[in-house]
Amino acid sequence: DVKVTQSSRYLVKRTGEKVFLECVQDMDHENMFWYRQDPGLGLRLIYFSYDVKMKEKGDIPEGYSVSREKKERFSLILESASTNQTSMYLCASIPGLAGAHNEQFFGPGTRLTVL
Amino acid sequence: GNSVTQMEGPVTLSEEAFLTINCTYTATGYPSLFWYVQYPGEGLQLLLKATKADDKGSNKGFEATYRKETTSFHLEKGSVQVSDSAVYFCALSDREQAGTALIFGKGTTLSVSS
């Protein structure tokens, strides 16, 4: 059974803290993504990675960074958490170069609250 | 640029009612189209997809047809169940940019009562 797992389902942090969200997939997928989901806004792309050590900015990268040291793991980092980063964070992966019409597999999400 | 517009929710229906959730898109290339569903407390999962014009995707009683002439991919189900209560997202991917992220609509919340 294919799987994308995220390190935490719920997380509460304080303003200014450095926050790490981890995502691991067991499908040997090349492409991995981080989205944030907010009511009325749908899903918005923060960053994606198409290979180890490669990363590309998405639509809303400000305040975030990412790390992809191993193929199966894609980490989202909030350098200094702020209250406007309170959101649901979703990780996804998709196989290879011909991924345009393939299914993206999503993790269960991490609901982050920044106080 | 590419975009997806889907009807605003919430949609509230009684069990066994007919469901339509409208989705239209704007794309420069020849996108693949998807419907994803998010059940309460879970991540998104693929409901159905269509990769070219006139294709019909179907799954769990849901259907959607890729209409190039109207740039639409409306989701339909003939008889909804309480268990269909969820958030539904229409999405597209640009075939010219394989491997890139999906572009999502804002989501439509469906609530079905018995």
Side-chain angles (χ1 to χ4, degrees), chain A residues 31-36 41-49 57-60 90-95 98-107, chain B residues 1-6 25-27 30-37 43-51 73 88-106:
Chain A
N31 304 294
M32 297 186 73
F33 308 88
W34 275 106
Y35 298 90
R36 64 176 280 177
L41 297 177
L43 275 74
R44 293 179 293 167
L45 180 67
I46 305 171
Y47 267 96
F48 68 99
S49 169
K57 292 180 179 179
D59 300 318
I60 51 164
L90 292 167
C91 175
S93 72
I94 193 169
H101 53 276
N102 288 349
E103 174 183 358
Q104 279 199 12
F105 293 88
F106 283 83
Chain B
N2 297 345
S3 66
V4 173
T5 303
Q6 63 182 102
Y25 68 90
T26 302
Y30 298 91
S32 293
L33 301 172
F34 306 81
W35 277 101
Y36 280 80
V37 59
L44 275 69
Q45 56 186 272
L46 180 67
L47 181 60
L48 53 84
K49 70 177 184 182
T51 58
F73 192 55
Y88 293 81
F89 292 93
C90 185
L92 71 81
S93 70
D94 186 347
R95 199 173 296 177
E96 299 300 315
Q97 299 184 54
T100 58
L102 293 171
I103 296 170
F104 287 89
K106 294 183 178 180

